[in-house]
Amino acid sequence: MREKRQSVQVKGKTNKKVFWTSFISGIMLLAVLLVSIGLSGVAYAVPLAGVGDFYVEFDKLEGTGYTFYPKMGETSSEASAPEGTNLIDKLTITNLKLYKDFKVGDQWIRVKITASKPVQITGLQQDASLIQANAQFSDLVLKENYSNDWTKQFKQTSSKITLGSAKLKTHYLFQKTINMNGMKLTVEKIDKK
Amino acid sequence: MRFKSWRQSRPLWGSVITIISGLMILWVPLNLYLSTFLPGSIAVIGLLFGGLITMIGLLALFFPQSAKILGIFTMFLSVLSVIGALGGFLVGTIFGLIGGSALIAWRMGSTDPDEDDSVHVTEDPVRAG
């Protein structure tokens, strides 16, 4: 006796219309993303915390709404070290240079970010343990307050701040928005003793 | 012949292009890690996206019936991988979009022989005893 065996072979197909529709939608989505983050050069909420002990150098800083108060904060080498917090509402920096040195094995590697064009920042918070600069203030107020919290006992404010040829040893940096046109990131070996 | 039927029953090209795209996206953060040991979370996002896209490409080979949803995920992840992994210098993202679209556009043929000519019924005489 003989019987028949059926083997069903399923064959897939690619629908060209659906392919092109989804591909073009994807390209448009990518374009929207690139236009919104790439071309405007604006990065939102950029914290550089935990990196610790990095240097910020620039030729000139012009800012409005400046506040300074002392605090204790962490660094990459200590859990708690004396620092000062600088808050600036709106500022423009020319010739910004930001760098951090890492020890990898026996050699030092420097990660450096530079911006060739003026950098616009809003909502800056910077914790520093060293500030070297030629400073100019408008409406400068240095005030002592009565408080049990030592960080609230002293406060420095000014409506306008201008710093020239500055070098800041920074431990924490936060910007609400930053516009870095002409940005360049380099990683290079350096000679350091 | 056996390979041909295996190939035709799943979105082979879509899967292969998706896997290549995932590997390209992985390449950027892997190189960043091995050369500089930079601390930071952004390269980790690249590793995650690249790994997921590679895995989706493999899954599409073994679960062809889910090709459509896997394709949507591929496209979404490859566009987002621009953040954190530079999308394999954008080439990976473009490959991801092509692979994802191919997965979305792939349709499995109907199992009803009267409905679709893409199903072939072969009749072989078999000795039964």
Side-chain angles (χ1 to χ4, degrees):
Chain A
M1 190 185 166
R2 279 167 175 251
E3 72 184 27
K4 283 175 182 169
R5 185 181 69 187
Q6 280 197 343
S7 68
V8 178
Q9 191 190 337
V10 184
K11 216 173 164 185
K13 268 184 179 176
T14 302
N15 187 329
K16 285 195 180 103
K17 202 175 154 190
V18 177
F19 174 81
W20 286 111
T21 313
S22 28
F23 182 63
I24 289 164
S25 317
I27 292 285
M28 278 165 76
L29 190 71
L30 179 67
V32 168
L33 185 85
L34 288 181
V35 166
S36 61
I37 63 160
L39 300 182
S40 68
V42 177
Y44 287 93
V46 193
L48 280 171
V51 177
D53 221 51
F54 54 97
Y55 287 86
V56 179
E57 286 181 18
F58 49 81
D59 288 349
K60 199 178 179 190
L61 177 149
E62 282 180 304
T64 52
Y66 172 70
T67 309
F68 170 86
Y69 56 86
K71 68 172 251 186
M72 294 297 282
E74 65 178 305
T75 73
S76 55
S77 51
E78 283 176 276
S80 186
E83 293 171 8
T85 294
N86 296 290
L87 301 172
I88 306 177
D89 290 344
K90 209 171 175 185
L91 63 150
T92 306
I93 300 174
T94 41
N95 236 337
L96 175 69
K97 203 165 94 182
L98 227 151
Y99 61 89
K100 161 107 184 142
D101 299 338
F102 296 94
K103 196 174 184 195
V104 181
D106 292 335
Q107 55 195 3
W108 284 88
I109 285 176
R110 173 170 290 182
V111 180
K112 193 164 80 177
I113 299 170
T114 54
S116 57
K117 290 177 184 164
V119 176
Q120 281 109 30
I121 297 172
T122 60
L124 175 83
Q125 185 194 334
Q126 191 235 19
D127 294 349
S129 57
L130 171 82
I131 302 172
Q132 281 178 341
N134 304 321
Q136 281 179 348
F137 298 99
S138 302
D139 309 320
L140 179 66
V141 182
L142 293 137
K143 197 177 170 227
E144 272 203 309
N145 298 311
Y146 179 75
S147 170
N148 290 330
D149 184 357
W150 72 274
T151 61
K152 287 179 183 154
Q153 285 172 1
F154 175 76
K155 200 175 176 184
Q156 176 182 342
T157 56
S158 77
S159 63
K160 204 174 156 198
I161 178 173
T162 309
L163 297 177
S165 312
K167 185 177 182 180
L168 295 90
K169 190 178 180 186
T170 309
H171 304 288
Y172 176 86
L173 197 57
F174 176 83
Q175 296 102 355
K176 207 168 175 190
T177 66
I178 178 165
N179 195 331
M180 268 184 130
N181 286 320
M183 190 200 103
K184 199 169 110 185
L185 188 145
T186 52
V187 182
E188 58 197 9
K189 277 187 200 169
I190 53 162
D191 288 326
K192 195 173 177 181
K193 296 279 154 66
Chain B
M1 190 66 197
R2 184 181 276 182
F3 174 72
K4 200 180 169 192
S5 65
W6 180 84
R7 175 172 67 87
Q8 281 172 344
S9 63
R10 61 208 68 235
L12 183 77
W13 286 112
S15 306
V16 170
I17 296 169
T18 303
I19 293 168
I20 293 171
S21 148
L23 294 176
M24 280 178 173
I25 293 166
L26 270 177
W27 188 81
V28 174
L30 276 180
N31 267 278
L32 265 179
Y33 259 84
L34 296 175
S35 58
T36 63
F37 299 100
L38 273 175
S41 60
I42 278 187
V44 177
I45 299 173
L47 283 178
L48 183 73
F49 284 2
L52 277 174
I53 292 170
T54 312
M55 211 171 70
I56 287 174
L58 286 170
L59 281 176
L61 275 180
F62 298 104
F63 301 96
Q65 64 275 24
S66 314
K68 198 171 183 175
I69 190 87
L70 291 173
I72 293 170
F73 278 130
T74 304
M75 291 186 78
F76 182 71
L77 288 172
S78 53
V79 169
L80 284 187
S81 72
V82 173
I83 308 163
L86 304 173
F89 295 115
L90 275 185
V91 183
T93 299
I94 302 290
F95 266 68
L97 291 179
I98 297 171
S101 308
L103 290 181
I104 291 172
W106 193 82
R107 294 280 178 279
M108 194 180 266
S110 166
T111 46
D112 184 355
D114 300 328
E115 198 182 88
D116 200 315
D117 62 348
S118 65
V119 176
H120 300 277
V121 180
T122 52
E123 295 184 352
D124 303 322
V126 174
R127 185 185 291 272

